Amino acid sequence: MLEPPPAEPPPAGRDVRDRLSLWDRRPQPTAPLSDRQTDSVLELKAAAENLPVPPELPIEDLCSLTSQSLPVLLTAAVPESTEDVLLKGFAALGMEDERIETAQQSELVDLAENIQQKLSYFNELENINTKLNSPTLSVNSEGFIPMLAKLDDCIAYISSHPNFKDYPVYLTKFKQCLSKAMHLIKTYTVNTLQNLTSQLMKRDPSAVPNSDNAFTLFYVKFRAAAPKVRTLIEQVEQRSEKMPEYQQVLNEIHQCYLDQRELLLGPSIASTVTELTSQNNRDHCALVRSGCAFMVHVCQDEHQLYNEFFTKPTPKLDELLEKLCLSLYDVLRPMIIHVIHLETLSELCGILKNEMLEDHVQNNAEQLGAFAAGVKQMLEDVQERLVYRTHIYIQTDITGYKPAPGDLAYPDKLEMMEQIAQSLKEEQKKLPSEASFSDVRLEGPESCSLVKSGSAESLNPRHQTTISPADLHGMWYPTVRRTLVCLSKLYRCIDRAVFQGLSQEALSACIQSLLGAADSISKNKTQVDGQLFLIKHLLILREQIAPFHTDFTIKEISLDLKKTRDAAFKILNPKTVSRFFRLNSNNALIQFLLEGTPEIREHYIDSKKDVDRHLKSACEQFIQQQTKQFIEQLEEFMTKVAALKTMATQGGPNYSLSQQPWAQPAKINDLVSSAYKTIKTKLPSTLRSMSLYLSNKDTELILFKPVRNNIQQMFQKLHTLLKEEFSNEDLQIIACPSMEQVNLLLSMSK
């Protein structure tokens, strides 16, 4: 049987109810309920009001229960609040003390855990400080990195709660602990690197190794020591972006590492470069190639060694490598600026541009960035020196070239070479070998760099089966050979714009030298020799510059002072003195300022078109000269006839052509016979000269075709005139060759 409940609730129960009344008190409830929880409480309240009393309870218990549970607590701020409902519900079940104590305990436990969690960060200060001040602490111990992680967490937590009471004090103390930890890491790493450098320096007190073994030792020892510090450095790198203290320590470790590497490598590289210089003192190309190859290996090895210690890159490494590469540049530059040969300078450009930048650097741009900067600077120096020496070369060796007697010995040298070629060809026929004269190389080694030249292959698509003496590079006029060799050296070495300017200058100088040589040959030999010499070499120039895929046009700017001159003459006129002081638009001074302004003019110079223009002019002169040589007398006769007819058409007296003393049949017969004889005797010599100089049937045909057409047209006009003006008897006396005879005579040109 249940014991009767006490008449009054104990003080503990009253205290609990008082605290419960605070849970949902408005307007500042201690533990506000959600909407769903409030709805549940209201439903519980409604159910409790209509709940019948259990019949099995004794009447005295019923009275006691009713009197205990129904009164409303006067301590509640709001009657019929949530806490009142809860009290009634717990009281009805007789569990008010147990349930209230359980909720209170849970709340207090959660509160204690929350406080303990927050205090744990502050409590770690003493623990961390004790470890850092311990004389037995080592950065390589197992607990150092976890302690570092805990220290970072504490600093991060305190930094994120600046509203805590002792926030500045604890943050400062934790920062001091972090500084101690960073100092330990830095000291250990720096001492490891410095001790390693000291050991290597003691092996060679002079710090000047004399073999590759020293470099190998430098890298092997450092690689062996990398695992000792890599773990610590990696921890610092991972935290460097979160805290500036770590970044500062990482920068100091970087600087220490690079200082030690520079201390080891600086003297070693200087010694190696000096040794390479002594070995290749006279071969600049071999020196540059070997020196650059050595620095490529140094840069690659240094990047690989750096990756053994660090996981994140630093620009300081490239700064160190640029400084080391500068030692090579300082040695090579004085040699480069004293090179005078274009061949050497162009080869140096090829080594630096093609072998180093395009091959090595492009395939490994990340590791060779510092090396590329040094090579580019060296390449610019070589190119500048090449351009300067090219200007001097054009002035001295092309423009200022003084031909030797052998250079102007045309056509003698061509005939001699043809005889040599013929004798070699006959000897080849006698030998039981498949080799032919076309396989015999007569040109010098320097010709290997040039494009194979015929005589106007643009006009001759037919394959040449033999080598003509005129096509041998050694037979070219020296200024042509020098110009083409110079352009071939420059084409791949310098910028396109610079090449265009130099090529225009070189081609203009070459053309002027050819014109002078052609005049000398014409004076010493014949005019035909001079003209064909000029045509041949202009054809060579045009063909050889075709493979250069560039524009040979340059823009020149000039100042036109014509208006200024005219205005000056006008103002100096005595009549304008009175207009000096007029206060209107007719003032002489104002007109001078307005009208006398000089003009800036732009004009373009195209070297390729200049070559074509001179070639066209030379061909026209040759055609006119040959036409005049063969039919000059007939042209003079036809000119007189035309003048006579012109006089008759303008009202003058009509004269019969046959009545003119200079037009007698016998006279015309002498003219015709002389012209026919001249063609017959001189045509083979002309064709022979064309074959000797041009050495190309298609080119010869193209050049001689206008001459043949002029001769045919002249005889055609003469036949027409004779039929109109002379009788058959006179025609028999004149005995002019028929067109078939003329064509047969000219067919020798085919």
Side-chain angles (χ1 to χ4, degrees):
M1 182 175 181
L2 297 173
E3 294 181 1
E8 295 181 0
R14 188 181 300 111
D15 183 55
V16 170
R17 285 196 299 272
D18 292 340
R19 282 183 299 199
L20 283 173
S21 66
L22 301 177
W23 286 7
D24 196 30
R25 172 172 293 177
R26 295 172 177 81
Q28 294 181 349
T30 304
L33 298 178
S34 65
D35 294 340
R36 185 175 179 182
Q37 291 172 338
T38 304
D39 295 340
S40 300
V41 171
L42 294 176
E43 292 177 1
L44 180 61
K45 176 181 177 182
E49 291 177 352
N50 300 324
L51 186 67
V53 179
E56 61 271 12
L57 289 177
I59 188 61
E60 58 272 14
D61 293 339
L62 178 61
C63 296
S64 175
L65 176 62
T66 305
S67 62
Q68 179 181 354
S69 58
L70 293 179
V72 179
L73 293 175
L74 299 177
T75 58
V78 182
E80 298 298 330
S81 62
T82 303
E83 58 267 24
D84 296 334
V85 176
L86 289 175
L87 283 173
K88 290 179 180 180
F90 288 142
L93 298 176
M95 301 173 62
E96 63 275 16
D97 294 338
E98 181 182 355
R99 294 302 298 265
I100 291 175
E101 290 176 0
T102 303
Q104 181 183 7
Q105 290 175 358
S106 177
E107 179 186 1
L108 293 176
V109 169
D110 293 341
L111 179 61
E113 291 179 353
N114 189 16
I115 295 174
Q116 182 63 30
Q117 181 183 4
K118 295 179 179 179
L119 288 176
S120 64
Y121 294 100
F122 296 89
N123 295 334
E124 286 291 338
L125 176 61
E126 184 177 357
N127 186 23
I128 293 175
N129 203 5
T130 302
K131 290 182 179 180
L132 289 175
N133 292 327
S134 174
T136 60
L137 178 65
S138 172
V139 293
N140 291 325
S141 61
E142 295 182 358
F144 183 80
I145 293 179
M147 180 202 68
L148 202 62
K150 190 63 179 176
L151 180 58
D152 293 341
D153 294 339
C154 293
I155 294 177
Y157 179 80
I158 295 176
S159 299
S160 63
H161 295 82
N163 57 338
F164 285 178
K165 180 179 179 181
D166 294 330
Y167 161 79
V169 176
Y170 277 90
L171 183 61
T172 303
K173 292 182 179 180
F174 276 116
K175 289 285 187 179
Q176 292 175 353
C177 293
L178 181 61
S179 298
K180 292 180 182 180
M182 293 298 97
H183 178 71
L184 292 175
I185 295 176
K186 173 188 171 184
T187 302
Y188 175 78
T189 306
V190 169
N191 289 339
T192 301
L193 295 174
Q194 290 179 348
N195 292 336
L196 184 60
T197 303
S198 300
Q199 294 175 7
L200 293 174
M201 297 290 286
K202 289 178 181 179
R203 293 177 178 271
D204 186 1
S206 63
V208 182
N210 52 9
S211 66
D212 294 337
N213 295 332
F215 279 100
T216 304
L217 185 64
F218 290 165
Y219 292 105
V220 170
K221 290 294 184 181
F222 265 78
R223 282 195 177 95
K228 298 180 182 179
V229 296
R230 181 179 174 86
T231 304
L232 289 175
I233 294 176
E234 189 174 356
Q235 294 296 324
V236 175
E237 289 177 331
Q238 292 174 358
R239 297 168 169 83
S240 61
E241 296 181 358
K242 299 179 181 179
M243 296 187 185
E245 291 82 2
Y246 285 98
Q247 184 62 51
Q248 181 180 358
V249 171
L250 182 60
N251 292 337
E252 293 176 354
I253 294 176
H254 280 158
Q255 191 61 47
C256 176
Y257 170 82
L258 296 175
D259 289 343
Q260 302 307 310
R261 296 305 301 170
E262 182 180 3
L263 189 62
L264 285 174
L265 295 179
S268 303
I269 291 176
S271 174
T272 303
V273 172
T274 303
E275 184 179 354
L276 291 175
T277 304
S278 61
Q279 293 175 357
N280 305 283
N281 191 20
R282 296 184 178 181
D283 191 348
H284 297 88
C285 297
L287 175 60
V288 171
R289 184 180 283 111
S290 58
C292 290
F294 168 71
M295 291 309 303
V296 166
H297 289 298
V298 170
C299 293
Q300 292 176 341
D301 293 341
E302 282 302 309
H303 272 276
Q304 294 173 4
L305 182 62
Y306 176 86
N307 294 332
E308 296 286 338
F309 286 84
F310 306 94
T311 58
K312 292 185 177 180
T314 175
K316 294 182 179 180
L317 177 59
D318 282 341
E319 293 176 3
L320 170 63
L321 294 178
E322 287 183 9
K323 187 176 181 181
L324 296 177
C325 292
L326 189 62
S327 61
L328 176 65
Y329 174 79
D330 292 338
V331 173
L332 295 181
R333 188 179 186 279
M335 299 182 180
I336 291 174
I337 62 177
H338 288 91
V339 176
I340 61 175
H341 299 292
L342 297 183
E343 294 81 0
T344 304
L345 291 171
S346 62
E347 188 175 353
L348 289 175
C349 284
I351 294 173
L352 296 174
K353 186 177 181 181
N354 301 327
E355 297 181 16
M356 300 305 160
L357 291 179
E358 295 182 2
D359 293 343
H360 290 292
V361 174
Q362 286 187 0
N363 295 331
N364 194 359
E366 182 178 357
Q367 295 185 356
L368 298 179
F371 172 75
V375 171
K376 289 179 181 177
Q377 188 175 1
M378 197 182 306
L379 178 60
E380 291 175 357
D381 292 339
V382 175
Q383 290 175 335
E384 183 179 357
R385 179 67 177 175
L386 179 60
V387 172
Y388 171 72
R389 290 303 307 175
T390 301
H391 280 295
I392 296 178
Y393 182 81
I394 293 173
Q395 296 173 4
T396 58
D397 290 45
I398 299 179
T399 303
Y401 176 71
K402 303 298 182 183
D407 297 331
L408 303 176
Y410 286 88
D412 300 338
K413 58 192 312 181
L414 295 178
E415 294 173 350
M416 180 183 67
M417 291 301 299
E418 189 177 44
Q419 293 176 0
I420 295 175
Q422 187 65 29
S423 62
L424 291 175
K425 193 173 183 179
E426 293 177 356
E427 291 180 1
Q428 289 292 331
K429 291 181 180 179
K430 297 178 182 179
L431 295 175
S433 172
E434 297 181 357
S436 63
F437 174 68
S438 60
D439 300 323
V440 180
R441 301 180 62 86
L442 297 179
E443 60 267 27
E446 65 177 348
S447 64
C448 297
S449 61
L450 296 176
V451 182
K452 192 263 176 195
S453 170
S455 52
E457 285 189 6
S458 58
L459 302 177
N460 177 27
R462 186 179 59 188
H463 178 68
Q464 292 289 101
T465 58
T466 59
I467 295 179
S468 169
D471 291 333
L472 298 177
H473 300 153
M475 298 301 295
W476 295 353
Y477 190 64
T479 57
V480 174
R481 184 169 62 251
R482 294 175 181 180
T483 300
L484 296 176
V485 169
C486 178
L487 294 181
S488 66
K489 300 292 185 185
L490 295 175
Y491 182 60
R492 299 188 183 278
C493 296
I494 58 179
D495 295 336
R496 185 65 58 87
V498 180
F499 175 78
Q500 290 175 0
L502 289 176
S503 62
Q504 192 278 331
E505 182 181 354
L507 289 175
S508 298
C510 182
I511 292 174
Q512 294 302 319
S513 69
L514 288 177
L515 293 175
D519 292 339
S520 300
I521 294 174
S522 299
K523 294 176 181 178
N524 297 333
K525 294 296 182 179
T526 64
Q527 190 174 4
V528 175
D529 291 317
Q531 292 172 343
L532 291 176
F533 166 85
L534 181 60
I535 292 173
K536 170 63 180 180
H537 285 87
L538 290 175
L539 287 171
I540 292 173
L541 271 182
R542 188 176 70 168
E543 180 190 357
Q544 291 296 322
I545 64 176
F548 298 112
H549 300 289
T550 185
D551 188 4
F552 287 87
T553 303
I554 62 171
K555 180 174 69 174
E556 289 190 351
I557 299 177
S558 60
L559 196 64
D560 188 1
L561 300 175
K562 185 175 183 298
K563 289 186 176 181
T564 306
R565 182 191 60 188
D566 295 342
F569 284 141
K570 186 182 298 185
I571 199 174
L572 293 177
N573 191 338
K575 297 181 180 180
T576 62
V577 175
S578 60
R579 295 165 45 202
F580 281 172
F581 304 102
R582 291 184 181 180
L583 300 179
N584 53 24
S585 59
N586 199 24
N587 186 285
L589 293 176
I590 295 178
Q591 288 183 351
F592 172 77
L593 294 176
L594 295 177
E595 298 177 1
T597 305
E599 293 183 350
I600 297 177
R601 297 186 179 275
E602 295 181 356
H603 60 281
Y604 293 85
I605 300 177
D606 192 336
S607 301
K608 187 177 292 186
K609 291 183 178 179
D610 201 21
V611 173
D612 292 337
R613 181 172 59 84
H614 282 89
L615 177 60
K616 180 181 179 182
S617 176
C619 292
E620 290 176 349
Q621 291 179 6
F622 174 79
I623 293 170
Q624 293 175 0
Q625 192 271 337
Q626 292 301 311
T627 301
K628 182 179 180 180
Q629 173 182 277
F630 293 129
I631 56 174
E632 181 180 11
Q633 295 178 347
L634 296 180
E635 287 181 342
E636 293 177 355
F637 174 77
M638 295 300 294
T639 301
K640 293 180 180 180
V641 172
L644 188 63
K645 290 185 177 182
T646 301
M647 293 174 59
T649 55
Q650 293 179 354
N654 293 326
Y655 292 100
S656 174
L657 182 60
S658 60
Q659 297 177 356
Q660 301 300 320
W662 47 269
Q664 295 299 315
K667 293 283 187 179
I668 298 176
N669 176 261
D670 293 339
L671 292 176
V672 172
S673 300
S674 176
Y676 189 82
K677 183 178 180 181
T678 301
I679 296 173
K680 188 174 182 179
T681 55
K682 294 186 177 182
L683 180 59
S685 175
T686 300
L687 297 178
R688 164 64 180 163
S689 297
M690 292 177 63
S691 175
L692 188 63
Y693 281 93
L694 302 180
S695 306
N696 187 287
K697 292 296 183 183
D698 292 342
T699 306
E700 297 167 22
L701 180 61
I702 292 174
L703 184 58
F704 187 72
K705 185 177 180 179
V707 179
R708 186 175 68 249
N709 291 339
N710 291 340
I711 296 175
Q712 290 174 341
Q713 292 174 6
M714 180 57 65
F715 275 96
Q716 186 68 40
K717 292 179 182 179
L718 182 61
H719 276 286
T720 303
L721 177 65
L722 294 178
K723 288 180 181 180
E724 293 176 355
E725 299 291 340
F726 293 93
S727 62
N728 292 333
E729 295 178 358
D730 293 336
L731 292 177
Q732 292 180 358
I733 296 174
I734 295 173
C736 181
S738 63
M739 290 305 301
E740 290 77 8
Q741 290 176 320
V742 174
N743 292 334
L744 181 61
L745 180 63
L746 297 176
S747 64
M748 291 186 295
S749 64
K750 296 182 181 179

